[in-house]
Amino acid sequence: MTVENLVLGYQTPHGSLPALAGVSFSLLPGQVFGLVGESGCGKSTLALSLLRLLPPNAHMVSGECFFHSSSGLVNLVASSEKQMASVRWKQISMIFQAAMNAFNPVYRVGEQIMEALRKHFPHQSHAKNREKVAQLFEMVGLEPERMQQFPHQFSGGMKQRAMIAMALSCEPSLVIADEPTTALDVIVQHRILAGLKKIQRLKNTSMIYVSHDMAVVSQMSDRIAVMYAGKIVECGPAAVLSANPSHPYSHVLMGAFPDIHGPKKPLKSLGGEPPDPFRLPSGCAFHPRCPFSQERCAKEEPVPVALSPDHVVSCHFPLERKEGYP
Amino acid sequence: MSAPAILEARNLSRFFDATGRWLSLKKPKLHAVDGISFDIPPGKSLALVGESGCGKTTTGRIVAGLCVPDSGSLVFGGKPMDFSDASLRKSVQMIFQDPYESLNPRMTIGQSLQEPLQIQKIGSRAERRDRVERALEEMGLVPVAQFVDRYPHELSGGQRQRVAIARAFILDPEFVVADEPTSMLDVSIRAEMSNRMLRMAEQRGVSFLYITHDIAIARYMAAQIAIMYLGKIVERGDTESVLSHPLHPYTRALLEAVPTPDPAALEKDLPIQGSLSKPVDPPPFCRFFDRCVSRQPSCKEKPHPNLEQKATRHFVACYLA
């Protein structure tokens, strides 16, 4: 999948609110791509826009999104609703943030997953579908007997697992996971992440993993993109970003979580608030909160610079690698 | 441990009615908090850590006087806690999880902040106004004039939580219960808020009961830690000692589940089995038995273990530790 220069806004009573200001990235088959940032930075908008699931007041300004589907290259931005319907779930599926609300309370959980199978594989027999769902349940660590139960009989973690089973039901080549573990306790979170990673490796599925938790994203992803105010400010291999981030914002995000190992060190904090999208600062959008900002940052908008072939950063003064950070 | 504790909690219990079988006469009881004890020395903080439903919030509410315990006693500053005493209410304050719900939407920030002063009859109108302005300044809500007359809906989540913290501190309390004060906030703001609370506590010698599910933030905020599981404290002690030498199998599982940037961490199985249940009419043996990976048949024959001292200021409730 390749996304090029996606620009997107929301129509609001106060005018158009820019949500994505030119986002580009590419994703290889079998790769996990992590998207991190604060709430309101546009990461969920980006995830939803790929499946064109945005609310009606969102409007695409420009950009392309090419996806290598089984039936050839599709431009997800320009394709018809009918084409999209064949791509959704069968090719690209999504694990939503609030799995608690993603199931219909009056249908059995197994039935709801089979519905997706029936829709996309109309010729498959009922028995075969049932067998498939039972397999999926086992894969995500749920007893197959639970297919007969209703969503209210599931705990939060179990619903999230069922959601993952549903997302994988049509064996998509890309899964978009939007904060799938935010509402869960650590032990449940660990199990779900481990399960998701195992299945992803087994099936060689590509994945876009959206979260605000830098530790979780680095654990799950091969590549990470850090978003700020609707833009990708840094993008590179997960190992590089988590150990030596170059953009000051990625650096703060990494240091904002307390650690349980090693010496206790003060948490890094950013002054100020995330920017108001109606009044984005001039120049680099991050400069009012940046500990290293200089005069040039307020005037010129930084362009993406490649520090190495697969590590790009948008900053006038990227942090040196492995030097004493202040 | 020489200084007398600012807060001593002894054998606190709180049971709730759970929904039982239809028409059954015996009402099942949910043991939200089941006989827990702890001390908090003055100026020190205790972090209460556990998964959702372990009773940590109920414990916090009991200590703040928002929930009456079924049994047990609380001693505050050497005297039994009496919540009908207004001066006690002054010294114990609470910060809630959700800054969207803990501020009255129909009061301005200034009104919300000066209300406790008014109730406690502190200062003249001008003095109160002055104190409110200082409190806002301390929390970095400047210029103050811009904030006093605003309503909560005009502020962001981070700003609202700062107001809630300022309000908890405005009466100069000795003890503050903070129930997941940063879990609803954005990551970058979370760090700032934690640092501010630590600074306030240090400057004024305030003790915290810091309730959280995040063991890493607990380490950051408090020198003492207590791990709760289904209404019981299973391990308690100096934070560094508990985290570097966890003795209870549950603490070990919690620690291993904390996400780290290392992808290899996902490949290990956690040392815990099954899933969290509810403490409704719990069995008479160890609460953790069903999920314990190192359990022995003998554990099932004995009652739930008591907290026993294993090292200096390090207690654990496990027969096998």
Side-chain angles (χ1 to χ4, degrees):
Chain A
M1 172 182 258
T2 331
V3 174
E4 271 165 36
N5 203 21
L6 212 55
V7 180
L8 194 141
Y10 286 106
Q11 214 71 263
T12 71
H14 311 286
S16 175
L17 185 147
L20 297 177
V23 171
S24 311
F25 65 90
S26 57
L27 177 68
L28 300 175
Q31 212 177 39
V32 182
F33 187 75
L35 273 176
V36 245
E38 282 170 274
S39 36
C41 74
K43 55 191 196 305
S44 288
T45 301
L46 176 57
L48 289 170
S49 71
L50 300 179
L51 275 176
R52 297 233 312 255
L53 291 174
L54 289 166
N57 65 341
H59 60 100
M60 195 79 83
V61 180
S62 67
E64 325 248 20
C65 173
F66 295 104
F67 177 69
H68 290 271
S69 75
S70 53
S71 51
L73 198 67
V74 191
N75 185 350
L76 296 180
V77 173
S79 56
S80 65
E81 263 311 303
K82 205 174 157 197
Q83 259 176 314
M84 278 313 287
S86 74
V87 169
R88 280 188 202 128
W89 229 255
K90 204 167 170 182
Q91 312 268 351
I92 307 178
S93 68
M94 185 147 185
I95 303 169
F96 294 95
Q97 196 166 14
M100 332 291 153
N101 312 323
F103 283 101
N104 187 333
V106 298
Y107 288 100
R108 294 177 201 280
V109 175
E111 193 54 42
Q112 296 187 45
I113 301 176
M114 282 199 278
E115 190 190 335
L117 285 171
R118 266 202 299 278
K119 183 96 191 159
H120 289 286
F121 303 99
H123 304 300
Q124 207 151 281
S125 73
H126 187 71
K128 194 132 188 238
N129 281 346
R130 184 180 289 276
E131 195 186 315
K132 172 94 199 171
V133 177
Q135 270 174 11
L136 286 165
F137 263 49
E138 240 160 75
M139 206 155 69
V140 296
L142 288 170
E143 299 107 47
E145 297 80 64
R146 289 205 173 264
M147 280 168 66
Q148 295 304 316
Q149 291 188 335
F150 289 95
H152 74 268
Q153 290 167 297
F154 279 48
S155 71
M158 276 152 58
K159 271 185 228 175
Q160 197 58 270
R161 279 161 206 254
M163 183 76 223
I164 293 172
M166 183 139 114
L168 296 170
S169 60
C170 299
E171 304 201 346
S173 48
L174 172 65
V175 176
I176 301 173
D178 186 5
E179 309 235 14
T181 61
T182 350
L184 304 173
D185 278 315
V186 272
I187 289 179
V188 185
Q189 164 171 298
H190 184 278
R191 285 191 179 151
I192 285 181
L193 292 181
L196 201 55
K197 185 87 197 162
K198 205 172 94 197
I199 297 167
Q200 181 265 329
R201 287 223 178 109
L202 201 74
K203 304 250 167 196
N204 202 30
T205 315
S206 308
M207 191 151 89
I208 296 181
Y209 193 93
V210 182
S211 174
H212 66 271
D213 188 330
M214 195 77 171
V216 171
V217 170
S218 2
Q219 203 170 31
M220 292 295 290
S221 324
D222 302 306
R223 283 174 69 73
I224 296 181
V226 178
M227 285 188 76
Y228 190 77
K231 279 193 181 136
I232 292 182
V233 293
E234 183 169 8
C235 180
V240 173
L241 252 82
S242 59
N244 285 306
S246 297
H247 196 282
Y249 181 62
S250 331
H251 179 59
V252 178
L253 271 190
M254 271 321 287
F257 288 94
D259 205 351
I260 50 160
H261 310 288
K264 204 159 144 178
K265 41 184 185 224
L267 289 187
K268 297 212 176 60
S269 70
L270 277 177
E273 302 271 329
D276 178 352
F278 286 117
R279 278 174 304 226
L280 280 183
S282 61
C284 171
F286 184 59
H287 88 264
R289 301 172 80 190
C290 181
F292 311 101
S293 83
Q294 299 186 22
E295 229 174 277
R296 185 175 161 204
C297 303
K299 290 185 192 136
E300 267 175 73
E301 200 184 320
V303 286
V305 186
L307 295 179
S308 70
D310 58 352
H311 186 185
V312 177
V313 63
S314 302
C315 179
H316 291 305
F317 308 101
L319 301 169
E320 296 282 322
R321 286 197 180 187
K322 271 288 173 213
E323 264 199 305
Y325 295 128
Chain B
M1 281 270 134
S2 51
I6 184 165
L7 181 85
E8 284 173 38
R10 290 284 167 271
N11 270 323
L12 294 180
S13 291
R14 171 75 205 203
F15 299 165
F16 294 106
D17 284 335
T19 38
R21 289 178 72 96
W22 190 54
L23 287 181
S24 81
L25 286 173
K26 197 178 154 285
K27 271 251 162 69
K29 292 276 183 206
L30 183 117
H31 295 220
V33 177
D34 195 351
I36 72 170
S37 307
F38 54 87
D39 292 337
I40 301 180
K44 292 269 170 57
S45 297
L46 172 77
L48 204 53
V49 181
E51 287 176 280
S52 38
C54 73
K56 55 190 196 299
T57 294
T58 308
T59 309
R61 292 176 64 89
I62 291 173
V63 173
L66 297 175
C67 174
V68 184
D70 290 329
S71 64
S73 67
L74 282 166
V75 175
F76 184 77
K79 280 180 288 182
M81 247 175 165
D82 172 15
F83 286 105
S84 58
D85 177 3
S87 67
L88 175 75
R89 298 234 168 219
K90 193 180 131 193
S91 15
V92 181
Q93 291 288 321
M94 184 152 182
I95 304 170
F96 296 91
Q97 179 172 11
D98 188 348
Y100 294 85
E101 283 177 6
S102 60
L103 292 172
N104 188 334
R106 303 179 74 169
M107 280 191 186
T108 62
I109 301 308
Q111 284 167 341
S112 275
L113 281 174
Q114 69 100 40
E115 196 189 21
L117 295 170
Q118 208 174 344
I119 292 170
Q120 296 285 346
K121 302 195 177 63
I122 294 171
S124 66
R125 190 179 282 257
E127 278 164 11
R128 288 202 290 258
R129 177 105 195 163
D130 196 49
R131 204 148 158 184
V132 166
E133 285 178 3
R134 251 187 304 142
L136 285 172
E137 233 173 70
E138 258 178 340
M139 287 313 285
L141 294 166
V142 281
V144 169
Q146 251 188 39
F147 285 96
V148 252
D149 295 321
R150 284 216 228 161
Y151 285 92
H153 75 263
E154 296 173 90
L155 305 186
S156 70
Q159 289 170 336
R160 268 185 248 200
Q161 196 61 313
R162 278 192 251 180
V163 173
I165 297 171
R167 188 177 54 176
F169 278 96
I170 203 156
L171 291 170
D172 273 324
E174 292 163 63
F175 181 65
V176 173
V177 177
D179 186 3
E180 307 243 20
T182 60
S183 67
M184 304 272 291
L185 303 175
D186 247 316
V187 268
S188 61
I189 300 171
R190 226 183 260 185
E192 186 199 327
M193 219 55 76
S194 308
N195 288 337
R196 273 185 197 281
M197 276 190 284
L198 275 181
R199 211 178 311 138
M200 297 278 267
E202 234 163 69
Q203 282 167 1
R204 307 185 178 195
V206 176
S207 302
F208 271 115
L209 177 67
Y210 196 94
I211 298 167
T212 178
H213 66 272
D214 182 342
I215 210 161
I217 198 89
R219 176 185 183 207
Y220 192 66
M221 295 301 292
Q224 307 244 314
I225 196 168
I227 312 283
M228 267 187 99
Y229 185 77
L230 298 187
K232 295 273 192 193
I233 289 180
V234 294
E235 187 162 3
R236 171 161 65 84
D238 287 351
T239 309
E240 292 307 315
S241 163
V242 172
L243 298 193
S244 55
H245 303 286
L247 296 172
H248 199 280
Y250 181 60
T251 315
R252 271 181 239 144
L254 272 185
L255 279 171
E256 274 194 38
V258 174
T260 52
D262 181 13
L266 280 180
E267 282 164 26
K268 278 188 288 179
D269 276 337
L270 289 184
I272 190 165
Q273 55 192 20
S275 58
L276 195 67
S277 54
K278 275 189 187 160
V280 177
D281 287 342
F285 46 88
C286 175
R287 291 276 160 96
F288 190 61
F289 185 81
D290 288 339
R291 303 191 68 193
C292 189
V293 285
S294 37
R295 65 184 177 194
Q296 299 296 324
S298 63
C299 293
K300 211 171 177 171
E301 287 151 20
K302 290 178 269 189
H304 184 86
N306 290 322
L307 276 172
E308 269 175 50
Q309 184 154 11
K310 292 286 167 182
T312 331
R313 293 197 297 276
H314 192 161
F315 300 81
V316 65
C318 178
Y319 291 117
L320 307 168

